[in-house]
Amino acid sequence: AGLALALGLGLAITGCGDDDGAGNDNVNQNTQVCGNGVLDSGEACDDGEANSDVQPDACRTDCRTAGCGDGIPDTGEECDEGQANSDLVPGACRRDCRLPYCGDGVLDAGEACDDGGTAAGDGCDAVCRVEPNWECQGSPSECRCRSYFQGSDCGECVVYVDVDQTAEPDNGRSWATAYPRLQDGINAASAARGAGSCDVWVAEGTYMVFEYSVLNTIQLRSGVGVYGGFDGTETARDQRDPGVNETILDGDGQPVPVYHVVSAIDTVDATLDGVIVQHGECFGVDTEDQRGGGITVKAAVLTIDNVLIRDNVGSDGVGIAVEGSIVTLRDSALEGNFAADVGGGIWGHNCLVTLERVDVTSNTARDVGGGIYGNYG
């Protein structure tokens, strides 16, 4: 009996050994080990000793397949910085393992803007440059029309002027913030236009040119069009009505009127449209101040549309004096201008003046050319 018990104990001890054999139901056989080269449950891969957290495309040491975000650039990935991948940080590898690129919505080095797309016409172009007349800020970039530009493509440059505007600021960017002084509006349009053109929209009212000297004048600028006849609410130029909303440029002053109400000197492609020019008095000492009480034009290219030039006095070319210039007058009128010498309405020398549908009436000159005087033109 003692021998049988001993043999039984021996067999029992042998049966509990770690033989790891097939069908063995011990705990050790069921333990999953990543890196043993066996694809166990819960593992995406296991290449044994070939598992690597350094080699591209390798099964990782945690038995996960290579992928974006594991910190190793694999096939098809441009970069991979692991947890440092970011769709917000400039210069970082993106979360889809692409290098920073124009259109990813992050303002990276070398980009002037990035609005998250590559479509043109929204302020930021396909190579992340700011488009003309736009300004862009932030990341992703928000773009809007620059300074005095407006419209869906920021292609229209407009500066607003209203003599009755008293609120602050007076920056000329809307009717509510219009410049009260016309010259301020013209100067702002000239600075803003770049290589293009810019309009000055002028609300009805009387704009006194004299401020402190008889030399004060409204100076037109190249590429700037001055348009009167607005009531101060319009959103498009063709909505104005100069016949109803009279915009008067008045040279009257104390103690005497200015020599020239409007001047276009060394300007190209300037326009004056929809205004009344009156009460200039060109009786200056210098010859150039003895001509052009209403408008004086020298070395310029000027278009005058829908303008009434009236009741100016002086020596020569009192309504408008043109020298060495090209001027087109359309749908306009000169009346009641008086010259002590020649050219009550128009005086021209070495110039080309074209009149289309222009009334020249009731102008006077003591010598010749009550209406029009031309010399080498």
Side-chain angles (χ1 to χ4, degrees):
L3 178 62
L5 177 60
L7 290 174
L9 290 172
L11 290 173
I13 292 172
T14 301
C16 290
D18 188 9
D19 62 6
D20 206 27
N24 193 346
D25 199 21
N26 62 39
V27 174
N28 186 58
Q29 182 188 9
N30 291 333
T31 299
Q32 299 177 0
V33 180
C34 177
N36 63 2
V38 178
L39 186 62
D40 298 311
S41 174
E43 297 177 345
C45 59
D46 195 331
D47 294 334
E49 293 182 356
N51 288 1
S52 173
D53 290 336
V54 177
Q55 296 298 320
D57 304 322
C59 182
R60 302 299 174 225
T61 57
D62 59 1
C63 287
R64 291 186 300 176
T65 55
C68 179
D70 61 12
I72 302 96
D74 300 302
T75 300
E77 297 176 352
E78 298 176 357
C79 57
D80 196 329
E81 298 173 354
Q83 292 184 355
N85 287 1
S86 175
D87 290 338
L88 300 175
V89 178
C93 183
R94 299 295 171 239
R95 294 181 65 184
D96 59 0
C97 287
R98 295 177 64 184
L99 292 168
Y101 59 94
C102 177
D104 61 11
V106 183
L107 191 63
D108 298 302
E111 296 179 344
C113 58
D114 195 324
D115 60 1
T118 56
D122 60 0
C124 190
D125 68 13
V127 291
C128 287
R129 296 174 302 191
V130 179
E131 295 179 299
N133 307 331
W134 292 78
E135 57 185 12
C136 301
Q137 294 179 335
S139 178
S141 300
E142 294 184 1
C143 301
R144 63 180 183 181
C145 295
R146 175 176 61 86
S147 62
Y148 299 105
F149 290 86
Q150 61 185 31
S152 59
D153 61 351
C154 293
E156 185 180 17
C157 179
V158 176
V159 179
Y160 298 85
V161 174
D162 187 345
V163 69
D164 297 324
Q165 209 290 109
T166 58
E168 295 290 344
D170 53 351
N171 54 27
R173 297 189 179 185
S174 68
W175 286 122
T177 61
Y179 287 115
R181 295 180 68 252
L182 176 54
Q183 193 64 55
D184 288 342
I186 293 173
N187 294 343
S190 178
R193 72 183 185 88
S197 61
C198 195
D199 290 354
V200 180
W201 291 4
V202 191
E204 56 83 26
T206 299
Y207 295 79
M208 303 304 298
V209 177
F210 184 96
E211 293 184 340
Y212 54 84
S213 169
V214 294
L215 298 176
N216 294 148
T217 184
I218 299 298
Q219 296 178 329
L220 302 182
R221 306 293 189 192
S222 294
V224 175
V226 177
Y227 297 88
F230 293 88
D231 67 14
T233 62
E234 295 86 350
T235 57
R237 195 169 74 194
D238 59 7
Q239 295 173 348
R240 67 189 178 123
D241 188 343
V244 173
N245 306 307
E246 288 191 346
T247 304
I248 301 172
L249 312 184
D250 198 322
D252 198 3
Q254 298 297 327
V256 293
V258 297
Y259 292 151
H260 317 287
V261 179
V262 176
S263 299
I265 311 297
D266 295 322
T267 61
V268 179
D269 295 331
T271 299
L272 184 65
D273 188 317
V275 300
I276 297 171
V277 179
Q278 65 184 29
H279 298 159
E281 190 171 302
C282 51
F283 283 125
V285 175
D286 297 334
T287 301
E288 64 182 17
D289 292 329
Q290 296 174 0
R291 298 181 182 133
I295 304 175
T296 182
V297 186
K298 188 173 183 179
V301 179
L302 174 65
T303 299
I304 300 173
D305 281 336
N306 302 301
V307 173
L308 171 59
I309 306 170
R310 70 184 182 191
D311 301 332
N312 301 279
V313 299
S315 297
D316 298 323
V318 175
I320 176 170
V322 183
E323 183 175 2
S325 301
I326 299 174
V327 176
T328 300
L329 289 91
R330 289 192 293 253
D331 301 306
S332 297
L334 297 102
E335 63 181 41
N337 301 289
F338 170 78
D341 195 355
V342 299
I346 302 174
W347 177 93
H349 173 72
N350 191 26
C351 62
L352 174 61
V353 179
T354 301
L355 284 72
E356 301 176 6
R357 300 174 302 278
V358 176
D359 292 332
V360 183
T361 58
S362 302
N363 301 280
T364 306
R366 284 181 177 170
D367 193 352
V368 294
I372 300 174
Y373 177 85
N375 182 35
Y376 297 103

